[in-house]
CSV table of all heavy atoms in Angstrom, one decimal:
chain,number,residue,atom,x,y,z
M,13,VAL,N,-11.0,-9.2,22.5
M,13,VAL,CA,-9.8,-9.6,23.0
M,13,VAL,C,-8.7,-9.7,21.9
M,13,VAL,O,-9.0,-10.3,20.9
M,13,VAL,CB,-9.8,-11.0,23.8
M,13,VAL,CG1,-8.5,-11.4,24.3
M,13,VAL,CG2,-10.8,-10.9,24.9
M,14,VAL,N,-7.6,-9.0,22.1
M,14,VAL,CA,-6.5,-9.1,21.1
M,14,VAL,C,-5.7,-10.4,21.5
M,14,VAL,O,-5.2,-10.5,22.6
M,14,VAL,CB,-5.6,-7.9,21.2
M,14,VAL,CG1,-4.4,-8.0,20.2
M,14,VAL,CG2,-6.4,-6.6,20.9
M,15,LEU,N,-5.5,-11.3,20.5
M,15,LEU,CA,-4.9,-12.6,20.8
M,15,LEU,C,-3.5,-12.7,20.0
M,15,LEU,O,-3.5,-12.6,18.8
M,15,LEU,CB,-5.8,-13.7,20.3
M,15,LEU,CG,-5.5,-15.1,20.7
M,15,LEU,CD1,-5.3,-15.2,22.3
M,15,LEU,CD2,-6.7,-16.0,20.3
M,16,PHE,N,-2.5,-12.8,20.8
M,16,PHE,CA,-1.1,-13.1,20.3
M,16,PHE,C,-0.8,-14.6,20.4
M,16,PHE,O,-1.2,-15.2,21.4
M,16,PHE,CB,-0.1,-12.3,21.1
M,16,PHE,CG,-0.1,-10.8,20.8
M,16,PHE,CD1,-0.9,-10.0,21.6
M,16,PHE,CD2,0.7,-10.3,19.8
M,16,PHE,CE1,-0.9,-8.6,21.4
M,16,PHE,CE2,0.7,-8.9,19.6
M,16,PHE,CZ,-0.1,-8.1,20.4
M,17,ALA,N,-0.1,-15.2,19.5
M,17,ALA,CA,0.3,-16.6,19.5
M,17,ALA,C,1.8,-16.6,19.4
M,17,ALA,O,2.4,-16.1,18.5
M,17,ALA,CB,-0.4,-17.4,18.4
M,18,VAL,N,2.4,-17.1,20.5
M,18,VAL,CA,3.9,-17.2,20.5
M,18,VAL,C,4.3,-18.7,20.5
M,18,VAL,O,4.0,-19.4,21.4
M,18,VAL,CB,4.5,-16.5,21.8
M,18,VAL,CG1,6.0,-16.5,21.8
M,18,VAL,CG2,4.0,-15.0,21.8
M,19,GLY,N,5.0,-19.1,19.4
M,19,GLY,CA,5.4,-20.5,19.2
M,19,GLY,C,6.6,-20.8,20.1
M,19,GLY,O,7.6,-20.1,20.2
M,20,LEU,N,6.6,-22.1,20.6
M,20,LEU,CA,7.7,-22.6,21.4
M,20,LEU,C,8.3,-23.9,20.7
M,20,LEU,O,7.5,-24.6,20.1
M,20,LEU,CB,7.2,-23.0,22.8
M,20,LEU,CG,6.6,-21.9,23.6
M,20,LEU,CD1,5.8,-22.5,24.8
M,20,LEU,CD2,7.7,-21.0,24.2
M,21,ARG,N,9.6,-24.0,20.8
M,21,ARG,CA,10.3,-25.2,20.4
M,21,ARG,C,10.1,-25.4,18.9
M,21,ARG,O,10.6,-24.7,18.1
M,21,ARG,CB,9.9,-26.4,21.2
M,21,ARG,CG,11.0,-27.5,21.0
M,21,ARG,CD,10.9,-28.5,22.2
M,21,ARG,NE,11.8,-29.7,22.0
M,21,ARG,CZ,13.1,-29.7,22.1
M,21,ARG,NH1,13.7,-28.6,22.4
M,21,ARG,NH2,13.8,-30.8,21.9
M,22,TYR,N,9.3,-26.4,18.4
M,22,TYR,CA,9.1,-26.7,17.0
M,22,TYR,C,7.6,-26.5,16.8
M,22,TYR,O,6.8,-27.5,16.8
M,22,TYR,CB,9.5,-28.1,16.6
M,22,TYR,CG,10.9,-28.4,16.9
M,22,TYR,CD1,11.3,-29.3,17.9
M,22,TYR,CD2,12.0,-27.7,16.3
M,22,TYR,CE1,12.6,-29.6,18.2
M,22,TYR,CE2,13.3,-27.9,16.6
M,22,TYR,CZ,13.6,-28.9,17.5
M,22,TYR,OH,14.9,-29.1,17.8
M,23,PRO,N,7.1,-25.3,16.6
M,23,PRO,CA,5.7,-25.0,16.7
M,23,PRO,C,5.0,-25.5,15.4
M,23,PRO,O,5.5,-25.6,14.3
M,23,PRO,CB,5.6,-23.5,16.8
M,23,PRO,CG,6.9,-23.0,16.5
M,23,PRO,CD,7.9,-24.1,16.5
M,24,LYS,N,3.7,-25.7,15.6
M,24,LYS,CA,2.8,-26.0,14.5
M,24,LYS,C,2.2,-24.6,14.1
M,24,LYS,O,1.2,-24.2,14.6
M,24,LYS,CB,1.7,-27.0,14.9
M,24,LYS,CG,0.8,-27.5,13.7
M,24,LYS,CD,-0.2,-28.5,14.2
M,24,LYS,CE,-1.1,-28.9,13.1
M,24,LYS,NZ,-2.1,-29.9,13.6
M,25,TRP,N,2.8,-24.0,13.1
M,25,TRP,CA,2.5,-22.6,12.7
M,25,TRP,C,1.0,-22.5,12.2
M,25,TRP,O,0.4,-21.5,12.5
M,25,TRP,CB,3.4,-22.1,11.7
M,25,TRP,CG,4.8,-21.9,12.2
M,25,TRP,CD1,5.9,-22.6,11.9
M,25,TRP,CD2,5.2,-21.0,13.2
M,25,TRP,NE1,7.0,-22.2,12.6
M,25,TRP,CE2,6.6,-21.2,13.4
M,25,TRP,CE3,4.6,-20.0,14.0
M,25,TRP,CZ2,7.3,-20.4,14.4
M,25,TRP,CZ3,5.3,-19.2,14.9
M,25,TRP,CH2,6.7,-19.5,15.1
M,26,GLU,N,0.5,-23.5,11.5
M,26,GLU,CA,-0.9,-23.4,11.0
M,26,GLU,C,-1.9,-23.1,12.1
M,26,GLU,O,-2.8,-22.3,12.0
M,26,GLU,CB,-1.3,-24.7,10.3
M,26,GLU,CG,-0.4,-25.0,9.1
M,26,GLU,CD,0.8,-25.8,9.5
M,26,GLU,OE1,1.0,-26.1,10.7
M,26,GLU,OE2,1.6,-26.1,8.6
M,27,GLU,N,-1.7,-23.9,13.2
M,27,GLU,CA,-2.6,-23.7,14.4
M,27,GLU,C,-2.5,-22.3,15.0
M,27,GLU,O,-3.4,-21.6,15.3
M,27,GLU,CB,-2.4,-24.8,15.4
M,27,GLU,CG,-3.4,-24.7,16.6
M,27,GLU,CD,-3.2,-25.8,17.6
M,27,GLU,OE1,-3.3,-27.0,17.2
M,27,GLU,OE2,-3.0,-25.5,18.8
M,28,LEU,N,-1.2,-21.9,15.2
M,28,LEU,CA,-1.0,-20.6,15.8
M,28,LEU,C,-1.5,-19.4,14.9
M,28,LEU,O,-2.1,-18.4,15.4
M,28,LEU,CB,0.5,-20.4,16.1
M,28,LEU,CG,1.2,-21.4,17.1
M,28,LEU,CD1,2.6,-21.1,17.2
M,28,LEU,CD2,0.5,-21.3,18.4
M,29,HIS,N,-1.4,-19.6,13.6
M,29,HIS,CA,-2.0,-18.6,12.7
M,29,HIS,C,-3.5,-18.5,12.8
M,29,HIS,O,-4.1,-17.5,12.7
M,29,HIS,CB,-1.5,-18.9,11.2
M,29,HIS,CG,-0.1,-18.6,11.0
M,29,HIS,ND1,0.6,-19.1,9.9
M,29,HIS,CD2,0.8,-17.8,11.7
M,29,HIS,CE1,1.9,-18.7,9.9
M,29,HIS,NE2,2.0,-17.9,11.0
M,30,ALA,N,-4.1,-19.7,13.0
M,30,ALA,CA,-5.6,-19.8,13.1
M,30,ALA,C,-6.1,-19.1,14.4
M,30,ALA,O,-7.2,-18.6,14.4
M,30,ALA,CB,-6.0,-21.2,13.0
M,31,LEU,N,-5.2,-19.1,15.4
M,31,LEU,CA,-5.6,-18.5,16.7
M,31,LEU,C,-5.4,-17.0,16.8
M,31,LEU,O,-6.2,-16.3,17.4
M,31,LEU,CB,-4.7,-19.2,17.8
M,31,LEU,CG,-5.0,-20.6,18.1
M,31,LEU,CD1,-3.9,-21.1,19.1
M,31,LEU,CD2,-6.3,-20.8,18.8
M,32,ALA,N,-4.4,-16.5,16.2
M,32,ALA,CA,-4.0,-15.1,16.4
M,32,ALA,C,-4.9,-14.1,15.7
M,32,ALA,O,-5.6,-14.4,14.8
M,32,ALA,CB,-2.5,-14.9,15.9
M,33,SER,N,-4.8,-12.9,16.3
M,33,SER,CA,-5.5,-11.7,15.7
M,33,SER,C,-4.8,-11.3,14.4
M,33,SER,O,-3.6,-11.6,14.2
M,33,SER,CB,-5.5,-10.5,16.6
M,33,SER,OG,-6.3,-10.9,17.8
M,34,GLU,N,-5.5,-10.6,13.5
M,34,GLU,CA,-5.0,-10.0,12.3
M,34,GLU,C,-4.3,-8.7,12.6
M,34,GLU,O,-4.8,-8.0,13.5
M,34,GLU,CB,-6.1,-9.9,11.3
M,34,GLU,CG,-6.7,-11.2,10.8
M,34,GLU,CD,-5.8,-12.0,9.8
M,34,GLU,OE1,-4.8,-11.4,9.4
M,34,GLU,OE2,-6.2,-13.2,9.6
M,35,PRO,N,-3.3,-8.2,11.9
M,35,PRO,CA,-2.6,-9.0,10.8
M,35,PRO,C,-1.6,-10.0,11.5
M,35,PRO,O,-1.0,-9.7,12.6
M,35,PRO,CB,-1.8,-7.9,10.1
M,35,PRO,CG,-1.6,-6.8,11.1
M,35,PRO,CD,-2.8,-6.8,12.0
M,36,LEU,N,-1.5,-11.2,10.9
M,36,LEU,CA,-0.7,-12.3,11.5
M,36,LEU,C,0.7,-11.9,11.8
M,36,LEU,O,1.3,-12.3,12.8
M,36,LEU,CB,-0.8,-13.5,10.7
M,36,LEU,CG,-2.2,-14.1,10.5
M,36,LEU,CD1,-2.2,-15.4,9.7
M,36,LEU,CD2,-2.8,-14.5,11.9
M,37,GLU,N,1.3,-11.1,10.9
M,37,GLU,CA,2.8,-10.8,11.0
M,37,GLU,C,3.0,-10.0,12.3
M,37,GLU,O,4.2,-9.9,12.7
M,37,GLU,CB,3.3,-10.1,9.8
M,37,GLU,CG,2.7,-8.8,9.4
M,37,GLU,CD,1.5,-8.9,8.5
M,37,GLU,OE1,0.9,-10.1,8.4
M,37,GLU,OE2,1.1,-7.9,7.9
């Protein structure tokens, strides 16, 4: 599964980076 993480409001980026597929950018 390809996993994208889209941050809302004031996101906690560390967690979203840990969730998403590579490359993170």
Side-chain angles (χ1 to χ4, degrees):
V13 175
V14 178
L15 191 53
F16 289 89
V18 181
L20 297 165
R21 198 158 172 76
Y22 305 114
K24 187 177 178 183
W25 292 111
E26 299 86 0
E27 182 175 305
L28 296 178
H29 287 162
L31 291 170
S33 296
E34 297 282 350
L36 295 179
E37 62 270 18

